Amino acid sequence: MVPMPETRRLTGCSDWPELGFVEREATPESAMKLGVQLQLAELSLSNTVSVLASLGVERCRSTVHNWIQKADLQPTERQNPNYVAVDETVIRVNNQLYWLFAVVDPDTSRLLHVRLFPTRTSALTEMFLTELREKHLVDDAIFLVDGAPWLQAAYHRHSLRFQHVTNGNRNTVERVFKELKRRTEAFANQFRHTDPNAAETWLQAFAVCFNQLI
């Protein structure tokens, strides 16, 4: 099994990710880092386990999944973007539909914040924006919107500036959201027997990995 090109690029970052739980694990830290990198970058859990086995580290899929959960990776905070784009899409977790909210800096294509909600309501949208403002310096940023009235209303209530954009920076953002959607669809089977909190933790870890690959 040969890692895909962008996976090889990621695994060159030997210091990533930081794993704060390694002292409680029997697996060498380098093997755990490789497993997390491979799974988040492109490989399925099964293929990740196969790569580790070829290196003499025999572990099951649930073990690699648990490494990602324990790592609790989060996108880097305190970013200060000039523009911000918020969007949401529906994904399936345990055969139920959930709303995936994500924020992108269109100048860097980096994911800034990711959350998973069981539904889409004004209250949850407000909570999501509040969390975003706590994590990043976005009060002076311009929010790029695609016409969603509930988001525009939320920006008004938070006194955030927004601009209706259908191309340019918005196209860049849509490509990021498309890749996020592709990855969640490609690995939908790993959400089949997990709870929404575990799925959200994986999605946040994926956001960190995605930012490393940009």
Side-chain angles (χ1 to χ4, degrees):
M1 176 73 63
V2 178
M4 298 182 71
E6 66 178 15
T7 306
R8 287 198 294 268
R9 179 155 55 91
L10 178 63
T11 54
C13 305
S14 58
D15 293 334
W16 186 90
E18 293 185 9
L19 303 178
F21 59 90
V22 292
E23 69 277 3
R24 302 189 297 273
E25 297 287 330
T27 308
E29 182 177 2
S30 58
M32 286 190 290
K33 285 188 175 184
L34 178 62
V36 171
Q37 290 170 348
L38 292 175
Q39 207 285 306
L40 291 175
E42 192 66 29
L43 298 186
S44 66
L45 283 170
S46 295
N47 287 338
T48 298
V49 167
S50 296
V51 172
L52 292 177
S54 71
L55 299 175
V57 180
E58 298 282 350
R59 294 295 183 271
C60 61
R61 292 183 301 174
S62 61
T63 298
V64 177
H65 172 78
N66 288 337
W67 292 341
I68 296 172
Q69 295 295 309
K70 291 177 182 178
D72 192 25
L73 302 173
Q74 300 283 338
T76 303
E77 297 186 6
R78 309 304 293 171
Q79 299 299 301
N80 188 18
N82 295 316
Y83 296 92
V84 175
V86 180
D87 208 346
E88 71 279 324
T89 188
V90 176
I91 68 170
R92 189 174 295 275
V93 178
N94 255 345
N95 291 321
Q96 295 189 25
L97 298 180
Y98 285 81
W99 284 92
L100 171 61
F101 280 65
V103 184
V104 174
D105 176 351
D107 289 333
T108 64
S109 296
R110 290 178 178 270
L111 287 159
L112 301 180
H113 190 40
V114 178
R115 286 294 310 273
L116 194 63
F117 296 121
T119 186
R120 184 185 67 190
T121 65
S122 296
L124 289 176
T125 302
E126 295 277 349
M127 183 176 74
F128 182 76
L129 287 177
T130 298
E131 291 176 352
L132 176 63
R133 295 178 70 186
E134 291 172 350
K135 289 176 177 290
H136 299 288
L137 307 175
V138 297
D139 285 357
D140 294 328
I142 297 176
F143 284 69
L144 307 180
V145 299
D146 59 359
W150 55 91
L151 284 176
Q152 294 185 24
Y155 299 149
H156 272 301
R157 286 191 290 271
H158 282 257
S159 299
L160 297 171
R161 295 183 298 165
F162 65 89
Q163 180 179 342
H164 186 202
V165 176
T166 57
N167 49 38
N169 278 340
R170 188 72 200 183
N171 288 342
T172 301
V173 169
E174 293 298 338
R175 287 195 292 271
V176 176
F177 288 136
K178 183 178 180 179
E179 176 63 14
L180 181 60
K181 180 76 170 180
R182 183 188 73 81
R183 287 300 310 279
T184 57
E185 289 177 345
F187 294 116
N189 63 326
Q190 84 176 37
F191 296 148
R192 193 170 297 162
H193 303 292
T194 190
D195 63 82
N197 289 334
E200 182 178 69
T201 298
W202 186 93
L203 289 162
Q204 291 167 343
F206 167 75
V208 177
C209 173
F210 181 86
N211 293 344
Q212 289 281 333
L213 288 167
I214 293 175

